[in-house]
Amino acid sequence: MRRVRRWQVTRGSNDDVPVDLFVIGGGINGCGIARDAAGRGLSVALAEQGDLASATSSASTKLFHGGLRYLEYFEFRLVREALIEREVLLAAMPHISWPMRFVLPYHKDMRFEAETPTSRLLGVVMPWMKGRRPAWLIRLGLFLYDHLGGRRILPGTATVDLARDPAGAPLQDRFSHAYEYSDCWVEDSRLVVLNARDAAACGAEILVRTEVVSARVEDGLWTLVLRDADTGETATRRARMAVNAAGPWVEQVLRGTLGIDTGEGVRLVRGSHIVTRRLYDHDKCYFFQGEDGRIIFAIPYETDFTLIGTTDADHTDASVRPECTPEERDYLLRFASAYFRTPVTADDVVWTYSGVRPLYDDGASSATAATRDYVLSVDTAAGAPLLTVFGGKITTYRRLAESALDKIAPFFDAVPGPWTAGVALPGGDFPVDGVAELIAELQAAYPFLDAAWARRLVRAYGTEAADMLGDARSDADLGRPFGASLTEREVRWLMEREFARRAEDVVWRRSKLGLRLSADAIAALDAFMTGSAAGAGADRAAASGL
């Protein structure tokens, strides 16, 4: 049951009325903060220069996880918080998140990344190991992983005989046993959009393709100049407090747009992934450890594919679009091929993607060692309060938002306390184990849906899939088909309810249908969307669902 919020009146934009919070950045942190704040009764506007989740928040490894390897850096608080959050989030969004089992094959050549505190400690007390990870240490780490977070839903660690278990079939014979543990999958970009939708339902104004070009403080209020990326038109908004959640651009916004001189900054770390044809038949994931101390995952992806990642490389300029380099691609191929019985080659790769993690600059000597924890900084020197978000990871976004509200609340009167734990995101109001039943109900109500189509809709929209399909009695009632089961009715839903403007928003962020649609089909979809929006005279507020 959704908690009743103090203020749920939908408001349109009014340049003359200042909002309480103006959030810069439409990634997971910005949308999470906007949702939490709006649900507590604060008036909120959010501007994103591109599409929601168009940068880091759609380029993750798609996991809600505690970060098993972070234990080697002694980041116990971060791991504990993330482990607790896995199940909180799983219960709130069972349509876009689900449990997965991870298989960690063991062999004697596994090594630590040389700069971890654990590696240095064992180098002193067990120098004969020469940087290798002993099996007892892996078991200890998995024991902590099972128990630090008060696990209730997810099963614990087990030992796997790879000679007997199906998980061993795709692997080389040299791997005889493994450990199996639990983490969760999440559709990262849909998570962002659903947080934005919920924020809007609480009254927040969500502005996509809207850049904040400048900001200054006047009479104790932030005055922000916005520019529409499509039309070039500008507008001015005012706010009592600003939130800089610009992700990779956080430092640029802080020093440039907001004019704040600070010694704090971010370290930009590029993480690249490859998507290959499906490499194995079972539904488990692999956690592979390399002889260089790094780790990668191999994960079943979109039914017919396998996702492999990620790398860690410094990225010097946020304005340069991150791309998986040939060197990174080949590194991932070599890494995976060291485990799989059949080598993975460049011919197997169907897509690559890369994102930039804006990690708090803690002075670490390598990208891999840089902290994944978040830092929230409040500055009032400009004459109005500013909260800046450094770092963070997708698993802890909700806790980050709660911590942000702890820092925001003192600047406003009588702000209610936390409310988001246990509250479902749109479409997520059904049991964690209820997906199969929901798919069956959808097919019964709409017999023209085949199993794959119904599953895709439930995994995207949950209980709202039927709302989207409406009164359709056949696929013809859903309007123009765009291919891969995408129809005009679904596209219009995404434009009217989920802030989508372009074909790329639909096929790469609201879904991953870009893996199945041709370039011509995507171009036709884009022409439809841009023409439909222009023909309807859709303005930004209407398209944001306000």
Side-chain angles (χ1 to χ4, degrees):
M1 180 71 67
R2 183 176 294 281
R3 174 176 170 175
V4 177
R5 290 99 183 230
R6 185 180 63 173
W7 177 63
Q8 296 188 21
V9 179
T10 297
R11 310 199 224 184
S13 63
N14 186 333
D15 293 356
D16 297 327
V17 178
V19 295
D20 293 326
L21 289 186
F22 196 101
V23 181
I24 303 171
I28 188 55
N29 290 333
C31 290
I33 291 170
R35 177 198 184 213
D36 196 331
R40 300 193 198 202
L42 297 176
S43 56
V44 179
L46 178 148
E48 162 56 43
Q49 64 179 347
D51 179 34
L52 297 174
S54 56
T56 306
S57 294
S58 61
S60 75
T61 313
K62 327 296 183 191
L63 299 178
F64 279 152
H65 67 128
L68 181 60
R69 74 180 183 90
Y70 303 154
L71 292 174
E72 293 183 2
Y73 292 89
F74 299 159
E75 298 216 37
F76 298 110
R77 187 210 61 79
L78 174 63
V79 174
R80 173 176 165 76
E81 181 175 275
L83 289 172
I84 293 171
E85 277 297 283
R86 288 182 313 180
E87 297 197 1
V88 173
L89 298 175
L90 181 62
M93 54 194 81
H95 50 330
I96 64 168
S97 178
W98 53 90
M100 281 186 163
R101 294 290 280 174
F102 287 74
V103 176
L104 192 165
Y106 179 77
H107 64 89
K108 61 182 179 58
D109 293 327
M110 289 176 177
R111 294 182 178 275
F112 292 102
E113 202 277 327
E115 298 176 2
T116 69
T118 301
S119 177
R120 291 195 295 268
L121 177 61
L122 286 189
V124 173
V125 300
M126 299 176 65
W128 60 88
M129 293 299 296
K130 298 181 179 180
R132 291 191 296 272
R133 283 185 176 102
W136 65 262
L137 189 65
I138 293 176
R139 290 195 296 269
L140 174 61
L142 289 169
F143 176 85
L144 292 174
Y145 207 69
D146 276 346
H147 294 89
L148 275 176
R151 178 178 47 81
R152 298 184 307 277
I153 299 174
L154 301 173
T157 297
T159 300
V160 177
D161 181 351
L162 293 176
R164 298 172 179 265
D165 194 278
L171 302 179
Q172 297 174 15
D173 290 337
R174 66 193 181 101
F175 301 106
S176 60
H177 71 280
Y179 305 101
E180 184 179 294
Y181 68 96
S182 293
D183 264 321
C184 298
W185 175 266
V186 63
E187 300 286 359
D188 52 5
S189 51
R190 288 209 58 74
L191 174 65
V192 177
V193 170
L194 294 182
N195 271 271
R197 277 195 59 199
D198 219 27
C202 295
E205 182 183 10
I206 307 297
L207 303 168
V208 297
R209 303 189 186 279
T210 302
E211 182 183 2
V212 179
V213 294
S214 67
R216 64 187 183 280
V217 176
E218 296 178 341
D219 300 324
L221 295 172
W222 284 101
T223 298
L224 305 103
V225 178
L226 315 181
R227 181 170 58 212
D228 186 297
D230 293 330
T231 67
E233 295 177 355
T234 61
T236 301
R237 300 299 303 276
R238 295 189 297 158
R240 296 177 180 89
M241 185 172 185
V243 176
N244 177 10
W249 296 272
V250 64
E251 197 170 334
Q252 177 180 318
V253 168
L254 187 62
R255 293 186 171 86
T257 308
L258 300 171
I260 303 296
D261 186 17
T262 176
E264 293 181 300
V266 292
R267 181 172 190 161
L268 302 179
V269 176
R270 185 177 65 253
S272 294
H273 301 76
I274 59 175
V275 175
T276 72
R277 62 173 181 82
R278 187 171 178 173
L279 299 178
Y280 52 89
D281 293 332
H282 61 78
D283 62 357
K284 295 179 181 179
C285 314
Y286 290 104
F287 179 114
F288 292 153
Q289 303 178 84
E291 295 182 11
D292 60 355
R294 295 234 343 106
I295 65 99
I296 63 169
F297 296 101
I299 308 173
Y301 188 60
E302 294 291 320
T303 306
D304 299 318
F305 307 96
T306 300
L307 171 64
I308 300 174
T310 179
T311 61
D312 276 320
D314 284 315
H315 191 82
T316 57
D317 188 348
S319 64
V320 176
R321 181 178 178 177
E323 295 182 352
C324 180
T325 66
E327 292 77 16
E328 287 175 307
R329 179 203 62 192
D330 292 345
Y331 170 80
L332 293 172
L333 291 172
R334 287 194 304 271
F335 203 142
S337 295
Y339 278 81
F340 286 120
R341 188 182 302 273
T342 302
V344 191
T345 70
D347 290 338
D348 295 317
V349 177
V350 298
W351 182 47
T352 68
Y353 69 89
S354 187
V356 175
R357 309 180 192 98
L359 306 181
Y360 184 71
D361 191 354
D362 60 354
S365 58
S366 73
T368 302
T371 182
R372 266 55 176 175
D373 211 344
Y374 56 82
V375 174
L376 305 175
S377 179
V378 175
D379 193 309
T380 58
L386 166 70
L387 173 69
T388 298
V389 180
F390 297 99
K393 59 198 296 282
I394 198 166
T395 312
T396 53
Y397 89 89
R398 192 195 64 83
R399 288 295 302 273
L400 182 151
E402 285 187 340
S403 297
L405 265 293
D406 288 342
K407 292 183 176 294
I408 289 167
F411 295 96
F412 301 94
D413 295 330
V415 176
W419 64 273
T420 57
V423 177
L425 286 171
D429 50 338
F430 65 96
V432 170
D433 60 355
V435 169
E437 182 178 353
L438 199 58
I439 292 172
E441 290 175 356
L442 194 68
Q443 283 191 276
Y446 301 93
F448 59 87
L449 297 176
D450 63 26
W453 191 356
R455 184 182 185 279
R456 182 182 73 78
L457 294 180
V458 167
R459 279 303 188 193
Y461 307 108
T463 56
E464 291 190 326
D467 297 334
M468 187 271 290
L469 293 171
D471 59 358
R473 292 293 172 262
S474 70
D475 55 358
D477 293 333
L478 299 177
R480 178 178 174 178
F482 292 99
S485 78
L486 182 67
T487 65
E488 179 178 340
R489 183 168 297 188
E490 184 175 359
V491 172
R492 290 191 182 279
W493 171 282
L494 295 173
M495 294 177 69
E496 294 166 4
R497 309 274 187 110
E498 295 198 3
F499 318 101
R501 298 285 182 275
R502 303 283 178 78
E504 64 177 302
D505 305 345
V506 171
V507 304
W508 292 118
R509 287 181 286 277
R510 306 308 183 275
S511 73
K512 289 297 181 286
L513 293 176
L515 289 167
R516 305 180 187 280
L517 291 170
S518 68
D520 288 344
I522 294 172
L525 172 62
D526 199 59
F528 170 81
M529 292 178 68
T530 54
S532 177
D539 59 27
R540 289 293 171 262
S544 297
L546 299 176

